[in-house]
Structure formats: structure tokens, C-alpha cells
Amino acid sequence: MSKRRLSRQQRLRIAENQQNELNSTDKDSPINEFSYNGRIISHYGQQLDVEVLAGENSTATIRCHQRANLPPLVTGDLVLWEQDTEEAGVIVAKAKRKNVFARPDSQAKLKPLAANIDYVLVVFAVIPEPFLNFIDRYLVAINSLGLEPLLVLNKVDLLSTNPSEGVANMLSIYRGLGYPVIEVSALQGTGIEALQANLRNKIAVLVGQSGVGKSSLVNRLGHDHLADVGDLSKSKYKGTHTTTTSRLFHLQNFDLIDSPGIREFSLGHMDADSVLAGFLELKGRAAECKFRDCSHKSEPGCAIQAAIENGNITVDRFESFQSILNSME
Ligand code: GDP
Ligand code: ZN
């Protein structure tokens, strides 16, 4: 078995361990993914709103509380609920999670924000000027959670007046690495159909720096018309929505779980191996360096420096990698 292969397996194991840790309570999960009858679409305090997924009320939502023996539930969790009072239900079990979207808290402990996510949309824009390193930080974090990124370049309408070599270079680097990249204009609607086609029947969350157009994109994708699930009206949430950790919206042909907390997603502390694992083109080669503790800077027999010299690794990505490592020290 090649070293490269091992390293990929290690990466998967790390992601799996991290997910297992987040899902530790799942071991005793009494229901599997086929026997749930609801999905958490919003939660605040002790209250949870559950979308009814089975039976005659299948588009309705029901306000629920959860049995005390259950772990904290997050938006996107699939659950088994029962009618409790005429108005409210009680959640009695949680289905096994496919994955968890989590963010480090102030103690660097991962705090789950949403579950069962298909894509993390990493939004960047022609303006404010994007930096490879911002995007790489998201990619490292997404990789460590075992989630799938979808890169979205917004404001392409500005390219005609602001042609940018930096942007073109970034797109070519990410496409070269095999990441899906979609170019859109939330303002003019360009590329929105392609984005929707990629997200069909999926559940996504959206992250990105302030000002890149996340709100505009959500509006363009249909939030204005279809934001409200079932019979929940926006007015009902007035005054309480600020305490909502996250909320699921049915958009045109996919679901979006959104909240300020998710949008402000950050990397937090990570060890050097996890950072390396997030750089697809570096992680396999690092195993081929002559010295096991190679810093990839000036050691003889460094496979990464060799790959930079022959053009298989870009200096930009290598510098971005080093910059993340330095910021973690
Ligand atoms: P957020 O902070 O990421 O939610 O960004 P906003 O959605 O608030 O957008 C920030 C600014 O960018 C606003 O002035 C928007 O009108 C503008 N904007 C958003 N999308 C586009 C776009 O596709 N093209 C252009 N030219 N401006 C946009
Ligand atoms: Zn090396």
C-alpha cells in the first residue's frame, strides 16, 4: 500500500473520529435514519420546532420539547416525536446523524450548530478582494469535519469593470484541485440556476466574510418567497429569532440551514496534521519527504519543495498553508 493511500485513510479516520466525538451520544441512538417522523427546523431555549415528515400533516410544523434523556438537538436533526398536548409534541429519540456542522467555542471546544449537511457553500466575491488564505481556512475546517465544500464566487457582474488576475488565479487553483466552483451574481441572477442545479435536494449551510453577498444570495435563491416552513410565519418569530441558533429554510429546490453563528464560521485551533489534511495536494506528498518531521522549508529530500519546483504545487497554496500553521502556534 502506498504512503499516499495511507495518508488519505488517516485523513478519513481523523474526520471520522471528530464526527464520532460530536456524535458520541449516537451510539445508543434507538432509531435509525429510516424511522424518524420529524426534522428539527429551528430551536431556541428549550423549544424546538419540528417539521412533520410523515402522516397527513406532512407539511406542518409542531412546537416540541425534548425528553430530558436526549442530548442537545440541533437544526437538521431527524427525530421521532409524539403528540404530547393538543398543541405541542415531545421528542423521544434522535436518529443517527450523517454529520455535524460545528464551530469552536471560546474554549476551542466544538459546538454543534447543525446536522445532516450535504454542502458547505463558501461564498467569496470579486469585491471585497478575496484572499486564497481566507478560503483555505474554510476548506481546512470543512475537511476536518468531513463535510463537502462548494465554492461560490459572487458579484461576477463586477468583473467587467474590475478584471482581477487574483480572482482568475484563485479560480484556476481551486478548479485544478478538483473543488467545485460556481460563479454567480446575486444582483443580476447569473449562475443562479447552475448553483440550484448543484444543490438540488440537498441541505446546505452558507459561510463567508461579511460583505461578500450572502444575504443577497439567500434572497436571490428564494428566501423572500419560501423562507417559511409549514405554517410558521416570520411574524411569529419576531423578538425570539435572535436567540435561535440556526434555522432551516426550504428554498426553491434545496434546503438551507442559516444563522449568524454559522455564517461567522471560523477555523479555531487545529493541530498541524489536520491543517495539512485540508490541503489536498500537500497531504499526500508530505508522506514522501525524506524526514518524517520535515518542515517543508529547506530540508533535503522534501517532496513538497520538489513539487513546488516542478509546478505541481503552487507557491500561493504553500504560503497559505504556512500562514495557517504560523497562526496556530
Ligand atoms: P453579506 O454581508 O455577505 O450578507 O453581504 P450582503 O448580501 O449584505 O451584500 C453586501 C453588498 O454587496 C451589498 O451592498 C449588496 O448589494 C452587494 N452585492 C451582493 N451581491 C452582489 C452582486 O452579485 N453584485 C454586486 N455588484 N453587488 C452585490
Ligand atoms: Zn517536506
Side-chain angles (χ1 to χ4, degrees), residues 154-155 157-158 185-187 209-216 263:
N154 187 30
K155 310 197 194 181
D157 56 284
L158 296 178
S185 166
L187 190 71
Q209 308 286 309
S210 166
V212 294
K214 295 180 296 298
S215 304
S216 311
R263 291 180 176 198

Side-chain angles (χ1 to χ4, degrees), residues 243-310:
T243 55
T244 304
T245 327
S246 59
R247 177 146 176 226
L248 185 139
F249 300 98
H250 290 312
L251 299 187
Q252 193 165 348
N253 59 4
F254 70 98
D255 293 338
L256 181 73
I257 297 180
D258 196 19
S259 77
I262 287 176
R263 291 180 176 198
E264 289 152 18
F265 182 53
S266 66
L267 189 54
H269 183 76
M270 221 169 258
D271 60 36
D273 282 347
S274 307
V275 177
L276 179 67
F279 281 79
L280 307 177
E281 75 280 41
L282 301 187
K283 66 168 199 261
R285 286 197 176 86
E288 286 154 22
C289 293
K290 183 167 170 195
F291 299 108
R292 195 175 271 215
D293 61 349
C294 186
S295 73
H296 319 302
K297 285 174 185 156
S298 54
E299 289 91 335
C302 174
I304 287 184
Q305 283 301 331
I308 293 173
E309 260 158 53
N310 67 28

Side-chain angles (χ1 to χ4, degrees), residues 221-254:
L221 286 165
H223 170 274
D224 277 353
H225 315 288
L226 297 153
D228 298 314
V229 176
D231 60 1
L232 294 174
S233 69
K234 270 183 191 150
S235 59
K236 200 165 161 186
Y237 276 84
K238 276 208 177 119
T240 56
H241 75 276
T242 45
T243 55
T244 304
T245 327
S246 59
R247 177 146 176 226
L248 185 139
F249 300 98
H250 290 312
L251 299 187
Q252 193 165 348
N253 59 4
F254 70 98

Side-chain angles (χ1 to χ4, degrees), residues 145-182:
L145 290 167
L147 300 171
E148 290 291 325
L150 179 57
L151 301 179
V152 180
L153 173 69
N154 187 30
K155 310 197 194 181
V156 293
D157 56 284
L158 296 178
L159 278 174
S160 57
T161 47
N162 302 269
S164 165
E165 256 180 55
V167 169
N169 183 41
M170 281 175 70
L171 296 186
S172 115
I173 287 176
Y174 289 126
R175 289 199 167 117
L177 291 169
Y179 286 111
V181 184
I182 303 197

